[in-house]
Amino acid sequence: MFNSLITFIDKSHPVTLLVLLVLSAYLIAIIWIFLYRFFALNKWIALEKKALEALFRGAEHVPDYGYLSHFLRSKPRGSKALFDMASYAATKDATKGLSFLSIVASTTPFIGLFGTVVSILGTFAHIGQATGGMMNVIATGVSDALVATASGIFVAIFAYTFHQILKRSAFELSGLIRMQSDALLSKES
């Protein structure tokens, strides 16, 4: 296994290795963003569910741990405009990191393809220098080159999946805050 990796590194084009290094950094970044945002959003959602339940049980105000309580401190009597602003602010906070995941999901296949094309070009250059066993040179070069494309697609799949999971959590959070706003507005009517 280790010898195969060393052989791959020795035979691969430097651009392909650079592409694999960039894709590895992207993979680490998207995993970190996902884990950090996933746990933060789940904790926030749990607090907002508790705040909504308190309102449904008859509480007159949002508990201090609820997101809307920060907006109601400046103006104890809420208005539709204030709650809309709070909802937009919560959505903005909840969707942090989604743009990066979206960019990674859409660009990594092209980054991998770039590494593949450059590596295949290098393979064709080696074909001109090879005297015998041309199919062996082609097969080895193309198979090594396709590792970059496969890696790009691999990273894109995870980035897109993480993006969708976090987007759904942000949508759920936004809905909870909207329900709290509606509950407070209905009590004031």
Side-chain angles (χ1 to χ4, degrees):
M1 173 73 180
F2 187 71
N3 289 336
S4 299
L5 181 62
I6 297 296
T7 304
F8 175 78
I9 291 172
D10 285 341
K11 289 185 177 184
S12 292
H13 194 278
V15 172
T16 303
L17 295 175
L18 179 64
V19 164
L20 292 175
L21 182 67
V22 167
L23 292 173
S24 298
Y26 273 173
L27 183 63
I28 291 167
I30 65 169
I31 290 171
W32 183 84
I33 288 170
F34 173 72
L35 291 175
Y36 175 74
R37 296 300 300 156
F38 181 77
F39 290 116
L41 281 172
N42 280 342
K43 182 178 176 184
W44 190 2
I45 287 169
L47 288 175
E48 296 306 325
K49 281 182 180 178
K50 261 177 74 174
L52 182 61
E53 288 172 12
L55 287 172
F56 284 157
R57 279 192 243 119
E60 290 297 317
H61 303 289
V62 176
D64 287 340
Y65 52 81
Y67 189 77
L68 289 178
S69 68
H70 306 292
F71 291 86
L72 292 171
R73 285 187 188 132
S74 62
K75 188 177 178 188
R77 188 163 170 88
S79 67
K80 175 116 174 84
L82 179 71
F83 292 142
D84 285 345
M85 184 177 70
S87 179
Y88 295 139
T91 300
K92 183 181 177 227
D93 288 345
T95 57
K96 286 180 182 172
L98 288 183
S99 294
F100 181 74
L101 292 176
S102 178
I103 290 168
V104 169
S106 63
T107 60
T108 53
F110 296 110
I111 294 170
L113 187 59
F114 173 73
T116 297
V117 169
V118 170
S119 187
I120 287 175
L121 288 173
T123 299
F124 285 140
H126 285 109
I127 290 172
Q129 299 167 357
T131 55
M134 197 174 336
M135 280 308 287
N136 188 28
V137 171
I138 293 172
T140 303
V142 170
S143 68
D144 287 347
L146 289 175
V147 169
T149 298
S151 299
I153 293 169
F154 179 81
V155 173
I157 289 168
F158 280 97
Y160 182 74
T161 303
F162 294 163
H163 176 270
Q164 294 297 358
I165 291 169
L166 293 178
K167 185 177 169 182
R168 177 65 183 116
S169 293
F171 177 76
E172 181 180 355
L173 179 68
S174 178
L176 288 168
I177 290 174
R178 284 258 182 219
M179 286 191 284
Q180 290 176 39
S181 300
D182 291 344
L184 288 171
L185 287 172
S186 69
K187 287 182 182 196
E188 291 178 6
S189 301

